Amino acid sequence: MNRKKRNYLLGVSHGVFYFASNGFVDYTTVLPAFLKHLVNSNALIGFTAAISRGGAVFFQLLSAFYLQGRKKKPYLVASLWVRFISWFMIALTSYILLPNHPIAELVCFIFFLSLFSFAGGIATIPFYDIISYNIPADLLGRFWAARQFIGGILAVLSGIVVKFILKQYPYPLGFTILFVFATIGFGLTSLSLGLMDEGQEKQKKNRSFSEFINDALSILRSDFSLKRMVLSEFFSHAVYMCLPFISLYALKVAHISQSKIGYFVSIQMIGSILSNLFWGYFADRKGPKFIILTTNTLAFFVPFLSIFFSNFYLLLIVYFLMGAYLHGSYIGYTNYLLKIAPQQKRPTYVSIRGTFNALSYFLPALGGFIADEFSFYVLFVISALLSFLALVYSLTLK
């Protein structure tokens, strides 16, 4: 097997294991259900979900600056194994501390989940550099789609396992078993990506961090396409405000049993799988803006339909659209960024994108506050309105 094909398959394998692992600990379904046993606060649950999603944006600027001109693969591998150890510790502490010490477990859970997410921020810069070096630009759409298509199939199976485990094993053992499965999966992601070649690309190195920041601000001011892209992605993340609370809405308002959460995981992954047949084809033919417009339309319908749907089977439609949006949006904005970013300044472009979206990833905390103070319905209405505005703004992309 030649080196290019080997690296392509390793990159796809990383994505496959990553999505399958996330199926066991999905932040929109499994984690909110677990946290509801530990604390009765939607705001805190939203904050924890935000950490799992948004903690990776921290350290991206520092990582991009520090790794200029350095070999990036050692830092990538180290970060990936920190992420593996984090889930190992979450599984271990849940087994030791629950059910008698829920507050202690909550503290441990938030700490190790934060460590997992922060390590992702360090890994992001070398990850995109290595992928960009090894995967030709005209294959990027199909590369991301292949990762998510195959990984989505395994994630559907993860959802089935979630349903079986939570039905057969009562709290807290069922969740501990899911954490163990996630630990194994993240270990495999570390192994597969660690075997990829790093590549050799010369990139500009700033003399100081302040110079790096000034360079990033200069790029943001002068590159019209980048500025519009990061604003569009920031606005599109308004839907994250409600994502972790649709499952809690199903449990508390629609009175759906906890074991059926596994169905939500599976249908979300099915939405991802089937939509990837669409994303992969059109990303390379219609361009990333087409994908962005389509996924932002889906983002509007996720909270909009949640306003009216309280039946289990109707909520499956919402999760199907959610799966299609989450993975399609990633493909659209990532391809847009990699196509407009000059090779020598790619780490800076990636860090600008991640840092600019930092606040948007913490919208679930605001969503939890709205749900606590008002209702799930008010939360869904606000999310739908903001998502519609995001769709309108994305029309301005070139």
Side-chain angles (χ1 to χ4, degrees), residues 302-375:
V302 168
F304 179 77
L305 294 179
S306 298
I307 298 171
F308 306 101
F309 290 175
S310 60
N311 177 277
F312 169 72
Y313 296 101
L314 293 177
L315 286 172
L316 291 177
I317 298 174
V318 172
Y319 274 94
F320 181 90
L321 297 179
M322 188 189 300
Y325 159 75
L326 289 172
H327 297 298
S329 178
Y330 177 81
I331 290 175
Y333 283 109
T334 300
N335 280 11
Y336 196 100
L337 178 73
L338 294 180
K339 287 188 177 185
I340 66 173
Q343 174 183 306
Q344 289 190 341
K345 295 190 175 183
R346 189 187 305 120
T348 307
Y349 272 66
V350 172
S351 63
I352 289 172
R353 175 202 185 188
T355 303
F356 198 88
N357 284 321
L359 292 177
S360 70
Y361 283 117
F362 284 84
L363 285 173
L366 176 60
F369 173 80
I370 294 172
D372 281 335
E373 295 297 318
F374 301 98
S375 68

Side-chain angles (χ1 to χ4, degrees), residues 14 20 35 39 45 72 77 83 100 116 124 126 148 151 170 176 180 183 208 213 222 241 286 300 305 382-383:
H14 164 264
L35 290 168
V39 61
I45 292 174
K72 298 178 177 62
V77 172
R83 285 161 68 82
N100 297 322
F116 169 83
T124 297
Q148 294 174 177
T176 300
V180 170
T183 302
S208 66
I213 294 295
S222 61
M241 187 185 299
K286 291 281 191 178
F300 163 73
L305 294 179
I382 294 174
S383 295

